[in-house]
Amino acid sequence: MRTVHPDEPAALCLLQVLRATAYIAAGEEITITYVELGQPMLMRRAELQEGYFFTCNCARCIAAPDADMSMEDVMLGGLPCKSEGCGGVAPSETNNVCRSCGLELKESVAVAKQVDSLLVNAQKKRDKLEFDDALDYCEEARDLVLECSTSSGFRSMRVHDELMKTYIDVNRWEDALLACRHSIHCYEAAYEMSTNPLMGLQLFMLGKLELNQGELDRAIAALEEALEILEVTHGSEHFLVGDLRSKLAECYMAQKAGAGK
């Protein structure tokens, strides 16, 4: 059996187990991804070139050479224009001219680098269990990110992911929930596949945070969606899926008890 890479895979490999995430006909080539699909096209291609020495020419990438990038990739990795009333986006940090008004967004490129640096510092502080310092870096990145990312962009997703984790570290559960809710919008924009495992895991986290804050109906909705994805990506016998089912059962019991009052 041979597997190849596209940016719209029909399978995934998890713990040396190959699982189909879409229908694969007999004799059809099996495709998995080698890189993180939530990244903009330029990042995906750069990582593939550096690590695997080829340029991806799948349907998602082939029609998007920088200046002609798809709007999907522009929204994932683009820089929002700061010209008043424009509302346009520049495709990338290397092609930083707004598609709508032609403004060069040099300042936004500098801010993007600053946000990336803040995230690196936050992760280092979290690794050292210096959570208050990590939170300072995360919140500074959050305050800057919309100057260099669309609200559902890849960089915004990274910032709110790190912010959520750090809020959890310092037991600020309501703030963690708000950060997770924001990140879900980014995940929905980044992962077209309805069966992407990262989307399933993030929905599982969202469900637990909603439950922690007493949002039972929201928790059930998130957990049910997570279960639908993770049963495909991880398999119904995976311990994570078992934990998810237990959490859902807990929610259903609480919902039934509430309805009986």
Side-chain angles (χ1 to χ4, degrees):
M1 180 180 67
R2 186 172 74 96
T3 59
V4 296
H5 163 90
D7 287 336
E8 295 178 326
L12 63 84
C13 188
L14 183 68
L15 299 177
Q16 298 183 322
V17 176
L18 193 65
R19 301 190 62 84
T21 55
Y23 176 74
I24 303 172
E28 183 181 347
E29 191 171 48
I30 298 174
T31 57
I32 63 173
T33 182
Y34 300 168
V35 298
E36 171 53 61
L37 292 181
Q39 301 176 100
M41 180 271 293
L42 293 179
M43 292 183 184
R44 298 194 305 269
R45 276 190 161 181
E47 190 173 335
L48 288 167
Q49 187 64 55
E50 181 177 347
Y52 299 93
F53 309 105
F54 73 93
T55 299
C56 183
N57 288 313
C58 74
R60 190 176 172 194
C61 288
I62 196 169
D66 206 19
D68 298 322
M69 286 170 66
S70 67
M71 184 51 66
E72 171 208 352
D73 273 306
V74 168
M75 297 309 291
L76 278 179
L79 306 170
C81 185
K82 296 305 173 187
S83 181
E84 187 174 353
C86 174
V89 182
S92 67
E93 292 166 50
T94 54
N95 181 12
N96 60 0
V97 175
C98 175
R99 279 183 163 184
S100 298
C101 72
L103 180 68
E104 189 174 4
L105 303 176
K106 290 182 179 179
E107 291 183 5
S108 296
V109 174
V111 173
K113 292 179 180 177
Q114 184 180 356
V115 168
D116 291 345
S117 177
L118 287 166
L119 286 179
V120 169
N121 289 334
Q123 289 160 358
K124 288 179 179 178
K125 290 296 184 181
R126 284 189 73 237
D127 290 343
K128 295 178 180 179
L129 307 183
E130 297 173 5
F131 300 131
D132 289 337
D133 290 339
L135 187 55
D136 288 341
Y137 284 123
C138 285
E139 291 184 331
E140 187 176 352
R142 177 202 59 198
D143 293 342
L144 289 172
V145 72
L146 289 185
E147 295 182 28
C148 62
S149 172
T150 61
S151 61
S152 59
F154 177 68
R155 191 169 273 110
S156 184
M157 179 172 70
R158 290 181 57 216
V159 167
H160 284 87
D161 257 353
E162 195 66 22
L163 194 59
M164 176 195 70
K165 294 171 187 174
T166 311
Y167 280 139
I168 290 172
D169 289 333
V170 297
N171 297 317
R172 287 175 56 176
W173 299 103
E174 184 176 358
D175 289 327
L177 172 57
L178 293 175
C180 190
R181 283 178 179 171
H182 185 105
S183 75
I184 287 293
H185 297 300
C186 302
Y187 274 75
E188 289 171 345
Y191 301 112
E192 290 186 327
M193 290 171 58
S194 60
T195 51
N196 186 287
L198 294 181
M199 185 71 187
L201 292 171
Q202 194 72 355
L203 284 164
F204 191 5
M205 176 61 74
L206 176 63
K208 290 190 287 187
L209 289 171
E210 296 283 10
L211 186 60
N212 176 273
Q213 291 298 298
E215 297 286 352
L216 184 58
D217 290 342
R218 282 176 174 263
I220 289 173
L223 293 172
E224 286 179 338
E225 194 173 349
L227 182 62
E228 187 175 345
I229 295 171
L230 295 178
E231 280 187 325
V232 174
T233 62
H234 288 60
S236 58
E237 302 304 316
H238 194 280
F239 76 91
L240 193 65
V241 175
D243 289 346
L244 177 48
R245 286 204 189 99
S246 296
K247 187 62 68 175
L248 257 175
E250 176 186 335
C251 289
Y252 291 145
M253 288 180 64
Q255 189 180 54
K256 185 176 180 180
K261 290 182 179 178

